[in-house]
Amino acid sequence: MINDLWYKNAIVYCLSVGTYLDTNADGIGDFRGLLRRLDYLQGLGVTAIWLLPFQPSPGRDDGYDVSDYYGVDPRYGSLGDFVEFTQGCRQRGLRVLIDLVVNHTSNQHSWFQEARKDPESKYRDWYVWSKKKPRNANKGMVFPGVQKSTWDYDDSAKAWYFHRFYDFQPDLNTSNPEVQAEILKIMGFWLQLGVSGFRMDAVPFVISTKGAIPRRPTEHYDMLRMFSEFLTWREGDAIILAEANVLPYVDMNYFGASGERLQMMFNFEVNQNLFYALATGDTRPLVKALKTTKPRPATAQWAHFLRNHDELDLGRLTKKQRQAVFAAFGPEPNMQLYKRGIRRRLAPMMQGDRRRLELAYSLMMTLPGTPVFRYGDEIAMGDNLDLPERNCARTPMQWSNEPQAGFTESDKPVIPVVTEGPYGFEHVNVAAQKRDPNSLMDWTERMIRMRKEVPEIGWGDFSILETGKPEVLALRYDWRNNSVLLVHNLSPIPTEVKFRAGAKVDGQLVNLLSNDHSTPDTSGKHRILLEPYGYRWFRIGGLDYLLKRTEI
């Protein structure tokens, strides 16, 4: 059973093939380049690689406008190159997750082209149409600052088509059984080529009713069960990691009461409150978010992240909280997106402060669930705010101080490399940090290794200890008669905390990161002095734990 739930103690690393490493000097990363870097990723401690879209696409939305679900964009290589990549991952014990973008297709997809030309085509009902422009066409846009409508008129079809995202991304009619069968076929195809699961894009939209009639879309949760049953039947331990930015009280509808639907979901509730805590030093809303999202089936898992390929969405926060996060991490208008999010990478948000970066990543790795890193996080890559929308944080990986950061031999990379300022590739790159034992990359590698040795975080039940200090978060995990305690100070000033660890045996706290252990006083309380942005990883129990190994 534990082997089937491999994702419980995984380390996920998200990357875009097109911006990772180019091997044919065309300025675009490819699967051959990614294959060359698998030893690097294995050495970093990664256990699963999540690939952003790489299927054929016009490329108007960074690949999220798919025009063929059964191929590889020629710019990235061939299906053969993809299979070589998955085989290389299998040899190194790495799993592969790929983006599954089935809420919509590109308007260049053959399905949509046939649907718009022929009203009798079977593909006509694969999309959502209306003879008249619906009254609510000006509502429900995902990108309200860019799109003014969710319906556009198609001259060939002589009808209006529905699109939740951009106008060049018509929504699939996912309520159609034929479309659902096609989604399963797409999953089966990539499972056969070696993937271990899918990061499913925009899940709430995939499972909801679409069209002009429903004022309140109804979510068809049984669709998720169908997807899950198919994965279990075809591959056993394959999973879906869902992008479902929904309110906490509906989380269980996505997981299923007994975990029969989704295996994993991103925890947006915790993510947004985590950034509020990082901005203000106040952990109380974060504690509330952790408690609110705590209930979940034993087989289900949260995925925790700091930054990803999208903007940092702050829509869940109050206006006052959102302004506090903007003031701390995105004070200038060009740092913000759609007035609800921040489009920067983490390092410049933290002003390059190593202490704050370590604190943030330590928090991500110790929150209840599975951590998801973004490529370049391990070396504190920056961004280029001169690039439009979210492209500013999608710049190529910085491998060395060679021209174009060692990413490509072309002088025209697919996205410009960060060349100026403190985050320019001459200052921030993998080669330099490999030679520095005190680099962030070396720290990240050590922390990932330790995180994998603390399975209690991924598997155990957690409780929040009372410290009397709102700037300090203390989390305790218990699993299989083993316990760990993680303490973080989100304040820029040192602070001392006193608390009971709730320990069995002698209650000694063994520091997993240094020799700074803690013994309780006569009243059974521990007294810990935390430096500004300080953190501690403790194992609860006597020093004899060092002679024992937890069987996973």
Side-chain angles (χ1 to χ4, degrees):
M1 183 65 169
I2 286 181
N3 290 334
D4 290 342
L5 305 183
W6 57 269
Y7 51 90
K8 283 280 193 173
N9 205 44
I11 305 293
V12 182
Y13 186 95
C14 169
L15 62 87
S16 170
V17 178
T19 55
Y20 210 60
L21 182 65
D22 170 30
T23 59
N24 60 3
D26 65 352
I28 303 171
D30 44 56
F31 276 107
R32 291 184 179 179
L34 182 51
L35 184 62
R36 289 185 186 178
R37 291 294 183 255
L38 290 185
D39 289 330
Y40 165 77
L41 292 173
Q42 183 186 34
L44 192 62
V46 171
T47 63
I49 301 172
W50 159 27
L51 301 180
L52 298 180
F54 57 82
Q55 287 98 345
S57 162
R60 298 183 65 184
D61 186 22
D62 213 20
Y64 283 90
D65 48 332
V66 179
S67 58
D68 177 9
Y69 287 102
Y70 299 99
V72 170
D73 194 303
R75 298 176 300 170
Y76 306 143
S78 64
L79 275 175
D81 293 328
F82 178 82
V83 173
E84 284 294 302
F85 160 70
T86 56
Q87 181 63 26
C89 288
R90 184 179 293 111
Q91 291 171 345
R92 294 166 177 81
L94 302 174
R95 292 180 181 268
V96 179
L97 304 174
I98 69 171
D99 253 339
L100 183 65
V101 188
V102 291
N103 175 68
H104 51 261
T105 69
S106 165
N107 59 4
Q108 301 303 307
H109 198 295
S110 60
W111 300 343
F112 187 71
Q113 290 299 314
E114 290 193 37
R116 62 194 291 264
K117 293 176 182 177
D118 182 5
E120 301 302 320
S121 167
K122 78 166 189 174
Y123 295 111
R124 186 72 162 206
D125 195 40
W126 283 36
Y127 295 88
V128 184
W129 303 91
S130 176
K131 292 183 178 180
K132 296 181 179 180
K133 185 176 183 178
R135 293 180 179 179
N136 61 350
N138 63 341
K139 298 180 180 179
M141 293 83 71
V142 172
F143 307 125
V146 180
Q147 296 291 159
K148 297 181 180 180
S149 174
T150 54
W151 292 86
D152 267 67
Y153 188 75
D154 184 84
D155 291 328
S156 294
K158 293 181 172 56
W160 297 80
Y161 66 90
F162 179 71
H163 59 89
R164 181 71 72 175
F165 290 77
Y166 295 108
D167 56 5
F168 53 81
Q169 293 170 323
D171 269 38
L172 282 167
N173 179 13
T174 47
S175 297
N176 184 334
E178 289 189 8
V179 173
Q180 294 175 10
E182 189 71 24
I183 293 173
L184 298 182
K185 182 180 174 183
I186 294 167
M187 288 181 175
F189 177 83
W190 293 104
L191 288 173
Q192 198 68 28
L193 295 185
V195 310
S196 293
F198 306 89
R199 177 267 187 186
M200 183 176 280
D201 186 59
V203 174
F205 299 141
V206 172
I207 66 173
S208 67
T209 52
K210 304 178 181 182
I213 298 177
R215 293 184 178 180
R216 284 190 175 182
T218 302
E219 288 78 18
H220 299 283
Y221 297 111
D222 284 344
M223 200 185 301
L224 300 177
R225 181 172 183 171
M226 175 182 65
F227 296 155
S228 182
E229 288 177 344
F230 177 81
L231 292 180
T232 301
W233 171 59
R234 288 295 295 268
E235 199 57 38
D237 61 355
I239 68 163
I240 290 177
L241 168 55
E243 181 200 33
N245 193 349
V246 295
L247 293 171
Y249 66 88
V250 298
D251 290 338
M252 290 298 292
N253 292 330
Y254 284 83
F255 284 132
S258 59
E260 75 276 10
R261 293 173 183 166
L262 294 175
Q263 293 83 9
M264 295 188 75
M265 288 173 61
F266 287 106
N267 197 326
F268 289 95
E269 186 75 15
V270 166
N271 176 260
Q272 297 187 29
N273 284 283
L274 172 60
F275 271 92
Y276 175 75
L278 290 169
T280 65
D282 183 0
T283 68
R284 288 171 295 186
L286 174 59
V287 167
K288 182 179 178 181
L290 288 168
K291 291 179 177 178
T292 304
T293 58
K294 182 176 182 178
R296 67 181 190 271
T299 58
Q301 184 77 324
W302 288 116
H304 291 291
F305 63 103
L306 289 168
R307 292 296 294 112
N308 58 22
H309 58 291
D310 288 329
E311 74 278 7
L312 170 62
D313 188 355
L314 302 173
R316 296 282 184 82
L317 303 181
T318 66
K319 184 177 181 180
K320 184 177 181 181
Q321 290 174 328
R322 190 159 52 246
Q323 290 307 315
V325 179
F326 278 143
F329 300 135
E332 302 299 327
N334 70 333
M335 299 173 179
Q336 303 169 13
L337 199 61
Y338 312 132
K339 297 182 180 180
R340 68 163 192 248
I342 296 175
R343 67 188 191 111
R344 309 176 75 191
R345 266 192 177 263
L346 187 71
M349 287 170 66
M350 300 289 175
Q351 299 180 333
D353 190 328
R354 172 69 178 266
R355 302 170 305 163
R356 300 182 75 185
L357 284 170
E358 287 189 11
L359 172 74
Y361 288 121
S362 177
L363 276 164
M364 181 186 73
M365 283 190 272
T366 56
L367 290 172
T370 297
V372 180
F373 283 85
R374 173 142 169 80
Y375 79 94
D377 282 350
E378 68 272 28
I379 59 172
M381 274 179 54
D383 48 41
N384 180 357
L385 294 174
D386 292 333
L387 297 175
E389 293 192 43
R390 294 169 291 183
N391 279 350
C392 66
R394 298 176 176 180
T395 56
M397 183 67 177
Q398 296 169 194
W399 294 107
S400 69
N401 61 1
E402 298 173 307
Q404 304 298 340
F407 162 70
T408 179
E409 294 181 1
S410 168
D411 59 359
K412 294 182 179 180
V414 60
I415 296 178
V417 175
V418 177
T419 58
E420 298 178 353
Y423 302 101
F425 69 85
E426 299 93 339
H427 310 298
V428 179
N429 62 73
V430 171
Q433 294 200 20
K434 272 188 175 181
R435 295 188 290 268
D436 180 3
N438 296 313
S439 68
L440 181 66
M441 190 177 79
D442 187 78
W443 177 90
T444 302
E445 182 180 331
R446 286 185 284 111
M447 294 296 281
I448 287 176
R449 184 167 61 247
M450 183 53 65
R451 171 61 179 78
K452 290 193 289 188
E453 294 181 11
V454 187
E456 292 87 350
I457 298 173
W459 283 91
D461 186 28
F462 77 89
S463 57
I464 298 167
L465 300 190
E466 180 58 50
T467 65
K469 300 288 183 71
E471 68 272 22
V472 176
L473 178 68
L475 286 170
R476 172 179 168 149
Y477 294 88
D478 300 286
W479 183 63
R480 290 189 169 182
N481 297 318
N482 292 284
S483 301
V484 291
L485 176 63
L486 299 311
V487 187
H488 292 83
N489 175 24
L490 282 75
S491 168
I493 61 175
T495 185
E496 184 181 62
V497 292
K498 293 178 66 176
F499 56 82
R500 297 182 186 276
K504 300 175 182 178
V505 197
D506 63 4
Q508 189 172 26
L509 299 182
V510 180
N511 196 320
L512 298 175
L513 305 176
S514 72
N515 291 319
D516 181 21
H517 310 306
S518 175
T519 301
D521 60 21
T522 55
S523 68
K525 287 188 176 182
H526 290 270
R527 178 178 291 183
I528 307 293
L529 176 62
L530 295 165
E531 65 275 13
Y533 306 119
Y535 53 90
R536 301 286 187 276
W537 292 24
F538 294 114
R539 185 169 289 281
I540 301 176
L543 286 169
D544 62 337
Y545 99 93
L546 292 168
L547 303 176
K548 301 177 181 178
R549 301 292 293 183
T550 301
E551 292 186 9
I552 304 174

PDB file of all heavy atoms in Angstrom, residues 326-341:
ATOM      1  N   PHE A 326       1.032  42.854  -1.137  1.00  0.00           N
ATOM      2  CA  PHE A 326       1.508  43.700  -2.231  1.00  0.00           C
ATOM      3  C   PHE A 326       2.612  44.636  -1.751  1.00  0.00           C
ATOM      4  O   PHE A 326       3.646  44.799  -2.402  1.00  0.00           O
ATOM      5  CB  PHE A 326       0.356  44.533  -2.809  1.00  0.00           C
ATOM      6  CG  PHE A 326      -0.508  43.796  -3.799  1.00  0.00           C
ATOM      7  CD1 PHE A 326      -1.870  44.011  -3.835  1.00  0.00           C
ATOM      8  CD2 PHE A 326       0.041  42.908  -4.704  1.00  0.00           C
ATOM      9  CE1 PHE A 326      -2.683  43.341  -4.747  1.00  0.00           C
ATOM     10  CE2 PHE A 326      -0.745  42.224  -5.619  1.00  0.00           C
ATOM     11  CZ  PHE A 326      -2.118  42.457  -5.641  1.00  0.00           C
ATOM     12  N   ALA A 327       2.391  45.258  -0.600  1.00  0.00           N
ATOM     13  CA  ALA A 327       3.368  46.216  -0.077  1.00  0.00           C
ATOM     14  C   ALA A 327       4.714  45.555   0.192  1.00  0.00           C
ATOM     15  O   ALA A 327       5.773  46.151  -0.027  1.00  0.00           O
ATOM     16  CB  ALA A 327       2.829  46.861   1.200  1.00  0.00           C
ATOM     17  N   ALA A 328       4.678  44.307   0.656  1.00  0.00           N
ATOM     18  CA  ALA A 328       5.916  43.606   1.005  1.00  0.00           C
ATOM     19  C   ALA A 328       6.617  43.015  -0.212  1.00  0.00           C
ATOM     20  O   ALA A 328       7.847  43.063  -0.311  1.00  0.00           O
ATOM     21  CB  ALA A 328       5.617  42.500   2.016  1.00  0.00           C
ATOM     22  N   PHE A 329       5.849  42.464  -1.159  1.00  0.00           N
ATOM     23  CA  PHE A 329       6.453  41.655  -2.218  1.00  0.00           C
ATOM     24  C   PHE A 329       6.210  42.151  -3.644  1.00  0.00           C
ATOM     25  O   PHE A 329       6.897  41.710  -4.562  1.00  0.00           O
ATOM     26  CB  PHE A 329       5.948  40.218  -2.108  1.00  0.00           C
ATOM     27  CG  PHE A 329       6.275  39.568  -0.790  1.00  0.00           C
ATOM     28  CD1 PHE A 329       5.319  38.830  -0.108  1.00  0.00           C
ATOM     29  CD2 PHE A 329       7.539  39.695  -0.223  1.00  0.00           C
ATOM     30  CE1 PHE A 329       5.611  38.219   1.104  1.00  0.00           C
ATOM     31  CE2 PHE A 329       7.837  39.097   0.989  1.00  0.00           C
ATOM     32  CZ  PHE A 329       6.872  38.364   1.659  1.00  0.00           C
ATOM     33  N   GLY A 330       5.247  43.043  -3.824  1.00  0.00           N
ATOM     34  CA  GLY A 330       4.965  43.538  -5.172  1.00  0.00           C
ATOM     35  C   GLY A 330       4.429  44.950  -5.139  1.00  0.00           C
ATOM     36  O   GLY A 330       3.318  45.205  -5.607  1.00  0.00           O
ATOM     37  N   PRO A 331       5.190  45.905  -4.613  1.00  0.00           N
ATOM     38  CA  PRO A 331       4.667  47.264  -4.398  1.00  0.00           C
ATOM     39  C   PRO A 331       4.427  48.054  -5.679  1.00  0.00           C
ATOM     40  O   PRO A 331       3.597  48.960  -5.689  1.00  0.00           O
ATOM     41  CB  PRO A 331       5.739  47.924  -3.532  1.00  0.00           C
ATOM     42  CG  PRO A 331       7.000  47.171  -3.844  1.00  0.00           C
ATOM     43  CD  PRO A 331       6.563  45.762  -4.105  1.00  0.00           C
ATOM     44  N   GLU A 332       5.150  47.738  -6.762  1.00  0.00           N
ATOM     45  CA  GLU A 332       5.009  48.498  -8.003  1.00  0.00           C
ATOM     46  C   GLU A 332       3.928  47.874  -8.889  1.00  0.00           C
ATOM     47  O   GLU A 332       3.784  46.649  -8.924  1.00  0.00           O
ATOM     48  CB  GLU A 332       6.337  48.526  -8.758  1.00  0.00           C
ATOM     49  CG  GLU A 332       7.491  49.128  -7.972  1.00  0.00           C
ATOM     50  CD  GLU A 332       7.229  50.575  -7.589  1.00  0.00           C
ATOM     51  OE1 GLU A 332       6.555  51.280  -8.368  1.00  0.00           O
ATOM     52  OE2 GLU A 332       7.692  51.007  -6.511  1.00  0.00           O
ATOM     53  N   PRO A 333       3.182  48.698  -9.622  1.00  0.00           N
ATOM     54  CA  PRO A 333       2.112  48.186 -10.489  1.00  0.00           C
ATOM     55  C   PRO A 333       2.589  47.128 -11.490  1.00  0.00           C
ATOM     56  O   PRO A 333       1.861  46.180 -11.790  1.00  0.00           O
ATOM     57  CB  PRO A 333       1.613  49.446 -11.211  1.00  0.00           C
ATOM     58  CG  PRO A 333       1.914  50.560 -10.268  1.00  0.00           C
ATOM     59  CD  PRO A 333       3.208  50.176  -9.612  1.00  0.00           C
ATOM     60  N   ASN A 334       3.832  47.275 -12.019  1.00  0.00           N
ATOM     61  CA  ASN A 334       4.311  46.307 -13.007  1.00  0.00           C
ATOM     62  C   ASN A 334       4.708  44.971 -12.388  1.00  0.00           C
ATOM     63  O   ASN A 334       5.057  44.032 -13.098  1.00  0.00           O
ATOM     64  CB  ASN A 334       5.492  46.882 -13.792  1.00  0.00           C
ATOM     65  CG  ASN A 334       6.756  47.008 -12.956  1.00  0.00           C
ATOM     66  OD1 ASN A 334       6.674  47.153 -11.728  1.00  0.00           O
ATOM     67  ND2 ASN A 334       7.911  46.976 -13.597  1.00  0.00           N
ATOM     68  N   MET A 335       4.642  44.878 -11.056  1.00  0.00           N
ATOM     69  CA  MET A 335       4.906  43.618 -10.362  1.00  0.00           C
ATOM     70  C   MET A 335       3.622  42.823 -10.132  1.00  0.00           C
ATOM     71  O   MET A 335       3.673  41.674  -9.719  1.00  0.00           O
ATOM     72  CB  MET A 335       5.580  43.883  -9.015  1.00  0.00           C
ATOM     73  CG  MET A 335       6.915  44.581  -9.107  1.00  0.00           C
ATOM     74  SD  MET A 335       7.525  45.028  -7.459  1.00  0.00           S
ATOM     75  CE  MET A 335       9.106  45.786  -7.885  1.00  0.00           C
ATOM     76  N   GLN A 336       2.494  43.475 -10.394  1.00  0.00           N
ATOM     77  CA  GLN A 336       1.198  42.872 -10.111  1.00  0.00           C
ATOM     78  C   GLN A 336       0.509  42.444 -11.404  1.00  0.00           C
ATOM     79  O   GLN A 336       0.865  42.884 -12.494  1.00  0.00           O
ATOM     80  CB  GLN A 336       0.319  43.861  -9.349  1.00  0.00           C
ATOM     81  CG  GLN A 336       0.945  44.360  -8.057  1.00  0.00           C
ATOM     82  CD  GLN A 336       0.205  45.520  -7.439  1.00  0.00           C
ATOM     83  OE1 GLN A 336      -0.921  45.833  -7.815  1.00  0.00           O
ATOM     84  NE2 GLN A 336       0.833  46.201  -6.483  1.00  0.00           N
ATOM     85  N   LEU A 337      -0.504  41.577 -11.261  1.00  0.00           N
ATOM     86  CA  LEU A 337      -1.236  41.073 -12.414  1.00  0.00           C
ATOM     87  C   LEU A 337      -2.703  40.951 -12.048  1.00  0.00           C
ATOM     88  O   LEU A 337      -3.050  40.350 -11.016  1.00  0.00           O
ATOM     89  CB  LEU A 337      -0.667  39.712 -12.849  1.00  0.00           C
ATOM     90  CG  LEU A 337      -0.998  39.239 -14.263  1.00  0.00           C
ATOM     91  CD1 LEU A 337      -0.455  40.218 -15.306  1.00  0.00           C
ATOM     92  CD2 LEU A 337      -0.412  37.842 -14.509  1.00  0.00           C
ATOM     93  N   TYR A 338      -3.553  41.531 -12.888  1.00  0.00           N
ATOM     94  CA  TYR A 338      -5.011  41.468 -12.717  1.00  0.00           C
ATOM     95  C   TYR A 338      -5.476  42.025 -11.364  1.00  0.00           C
ATOM     96  O   TYR A 338      -6.560  41.704 -10.896  1.00  0.00           O
ATOM     97  CB  TYR A 338      -5.519  40.031 -12.869  1.00  0.00           C
ATOM     98  CG  TYR A 338      -4.997  39.310 -14.077  1.00  0.00           C
ATOM     99  CD1 TYR A 338      -4.474  38.029 -13.964  1.00  0.00           C
ATOM    100  CD2 TYR A 338      -5.004  39.921 -15.327  1.00  0.00           C
ATOM    101  CE1 TYR A 338      -3.980  37.358 -15.083  1.00  0.00           C
ATOM    102  CE2 TYR A 338      -4.507  39.258 -16.443  1.00  0.00           C
ATOM    103  CZ  TYR A 338      -3.994  37.984 -16.309  1.00  0.00           C
ATOM    104  OH  TYR A 338      -3.499  37.324 -17.406  1.00  0.00           O
ATOM    105  N   LYS A 339      -4.633  42.840 -10.718  1.00  0.00           N
ATOM    106  CA  LYS A 339      -4.951  43.472  -9.437  1.00  0.00           C
ATOM    107  C   LYS A 339      -5.248  42.465  -8.327  1.00  0.00           C
ATOM    108  O   LYS A 339      -5.785  42.831  -7.286  1.00  0.00           O
ATOM    109  CB  LYS A 339      -6.149  44.425  -9.600  1.00  0.00           C
ATOM    110  CG  LYS A 339      -5.887  45.588 -10.544  1.00  0.00           C
ATOM    111  CD  LYS A 339      -7.083  46.506 -10.627  1.00  0.00           C
ATOM    112  CE  LYS A 339      -6.801  47.674 -11.570  1.00  0.00           C
ATOM    113  NZ  LYS A 339      -7.958  48.603 -11.687  1.00  0.00           N
ATOM    114  N   ARG A 340      -4.902  41.218  -8.538  1.00  0.00           N
ATOM    115  CA  ARG A 340      -5.143  40.217  -7.501  1.00  0.00           C
ATOM    116  C   ARG A 340      -3.936  39.319  -7.260  1.00  0.00           C
ATOM    117  O   ARG A 340      -3.970  38.443  -6.385  1.00  0.00           O
ATOM    118  CB  ARG A 340      -6.340  39.339  -7.870  1.00  0.00           C
ATOM    119  CG  ARG A 340      -6.104  38.419  -9.067  1.00  0.00           C
ATOM    120  CD  ARG A 340      -7.133  37.309  -9.145  1.00  0.00           C
ATOM    121  NE  ARG A 340      -6.737  36.301 -10.115  1.00  0.00           N
ATOM    122  CZ  ARG A 340      -7.368  36.079 -11.269  1.00  0.00           C
ATOM    123  NH1 ARG A 340      -8.429  36.789 -11.593  1.00  0.00           N
ATOM    124  NH2 ARG A 340      -6.948  35.133 -12.101  1.00  0.00           N
ATOM    125  N   GLY A 341      -2.891  39.507  -8.040  1.00  0.00           N
ATOM    126  CA  GLY A 341      -1.748  38.619  -7.911  1.00  0.00           C
ATOM    127  C   GLY A 341      -0.424  39.306  -8.161  1.00  0.00           C
ATOM    128  O   GLY A 341      -0.362  40.468  -8.579  1.00  0.00           O
TER     129      GLY A 341
END
